[in-house]
Amino acid sequence: MDVSNMQQPEAGIPPEDQGRFILQTGFGHNGSKWLSTVLNKPEASMLASHERKNVELKMQWDDSLRYELEHGLDKSYFPYLEALDADLEQYDVVMDSNSWQPFIVPDLHLAFPIDLVIYVVRNGIQMVNSMYEHNKGKDYMPWLESDFLGRYWNILGKDPNEFAQLDSFSKWCFWWSLNEEMPEWIANQIGEERIETYRFEDLLGDPATLYQLIGNIRGDGSVPYTTEELASFQKKDVNRKISGDRSP
């Protein structure tokens, strides 16, 4: 993408001496909100947000999906980039989650260099079930299944006629299977040294994995948390949107 067409030269492009910009991505319902909460520690110069882009651009998540599919990353993004730029002057690490649209990551990197992409993968049975339980019956589901999932089908160069023959459940299984393809696709676009992939279940259940992720995000291996703090985060219920047992 040619960012010069955005008609506001240098806006949102951080100087080399500013903090590290981290982007968390994946395909939604993968623990992104939980991880943003864990990593938000301003007193340790870490500021982590969940879908801040939508807040700055005053968009609902489904409107944001539609806009990016139709327009990509354009000059309407400047309020978001400028907010990130201002935060990077104050904090060593600034992180946001972009948990539905991995295809926009390379464009964002061109406009606002990303130091590290954290790609989170969640168990497929849990993830697909969470999607259905949270969204079933809502009027945007047909659009998500056609336009949204169709875009990724096309990115991977698959036969569009085959996609048209898939039933709803098969399309959402394809959605989860994208986790096998997209980390490598992103790495090929922005450099493999800029992306790391984690299983959500490991971040919840293995203190060493969460410890390693935090150190990598900070860039120097330091972890400004006690063992007790990390254990407390890992014990918190992540089934936030619907109370009770969310297991399939």
Side-chain angles (χ1 to χ4, degrees), residues 79-122:
Y80 173 57
L81 302 182
E82 290 172 337
L84 292 177
D85 193 44
D87 287 339
L88 283 167
E89 294 180 355
Q90 302 180 55
Y91 297 95
D92 293 338
V93 176
V94 173
M95 192 195 83
D96 190 24
S97 63
N98 184 60
S99 59
W100 282 83
Q101 293 286 55
F103 80 76
I104 206 71
V105 172
D107 287 350
L108 178 57
H109 177 64
L110 285 176
F112 198 94
I114 303 168
D115 291 284
L116 185 64
V117 172
I118 300 297
Y119 191 105
V120 182
V121 180
R122 184 182 177 190

Side-chain angles (χ1 to χ4, degrees), residues 52-238:
R52 183 175 179 185
K53 172 194 67 180
N54 295 344
V55 174
E56 297 294 340
L57 302 185
K58 298 179 174 59
M59 285 185 173
Q60 296 298 314
W61 70 271
D62 52 323
D63 292 329
S64 174
L65 292 187
R66 289 175 187 253
Y67 189 89
E68 288 177 8
L69 283 173
E70 294 173 2
H71 304 284
L73 191 158
D74 62 15
K75 62 183 179 180
S76 68
Y77 262 67
F78 276 119
Y80 173 57
L81 302 182
E82 290 172 337
L84 292 177
D85 193 44
D87 287 339
L88 283 167
E89 294 180 355
Q90 302 180 55
Y91 297 95
D92 293 338
V93 176
V94 173
M95 192 195 83
D96 190 24
S97 63
N98 184 60
S99 59
W100 282 83
Q101 293 286 55
F103 80 76
I104 206 71
V105 172
D107 287 350
L108 178 57
H109 177 64
L110 285 176
F112 198 94
I114 303 168
D115 291 284
L116 185 64
V117 172
I118 300 297
Y119 191 105
V120 182
V121 180
R122 184 182 177 190
N123 177 284
I125 295 173
Q126 297 284 349
M127 188 175 175
V128 172
N129 179 69
S130 178
M131 178 69 191
Y132 271 103
E133 287 300 315
H134 183 53
N135 298 305
K136 62 185 178 183
K138 296 184 178 178
D139 59 7
Y140 50 69
M141 283 293 283
W143 173 83
L144 283 174
E145 291 182 3
S146 58
D147 295 22
F148 171 66
L149 295 182
R151 168 64 65 86
Y152 285 103
W153 189 272
N154 293 335
I155 283 176
L156 298 180
K158 297 179 179 291
D159 183 350
N161 293 323
E162 291 183 11
F163 182 77
Q165 296 173 16
L166 296 179
D167 60 22
S168 178
F169 179 75
S170 297
K171 287 180 179 179
W172 287 108
C173 289
F174 162 69
W175 173 63
W176 182 82
S177 76
L178 285 164
N179 289 305
E180 290 188 302
E181 308 272 3
M182 293 310 293
E184 182 178 0
W185 183 85
I186 292 172
N188 288 337
Q189 304 291 318
I190 70 172
E192 62 181 11
E193 74 282 0
R194 294 180 182 271
I195 182 168
E196 296 180 1
T197 302
Y198 291 85
R199 293 176 68 248
F200 179 50
E201 291 75 20
D202 292 338
L203 296 175
L204 275 181
D206 181 11
T209 300
L210 184 56
Y211 191 95
Q212 177 191 44
L213 179 146
I214 295 170
N216 291 348
I217 281 175
R218 291 177 65 82
D220 59 5
S222 64
V223 179
Y225 298 82
T226 65
T227 302
E228 292 75 18
E229 283 178 308
L230 294 184
S232 176
F233 281 122
Q234 290 180 314
K235 291 177 182 177
K236 288 184 177 178
D237 179 23
V238 298

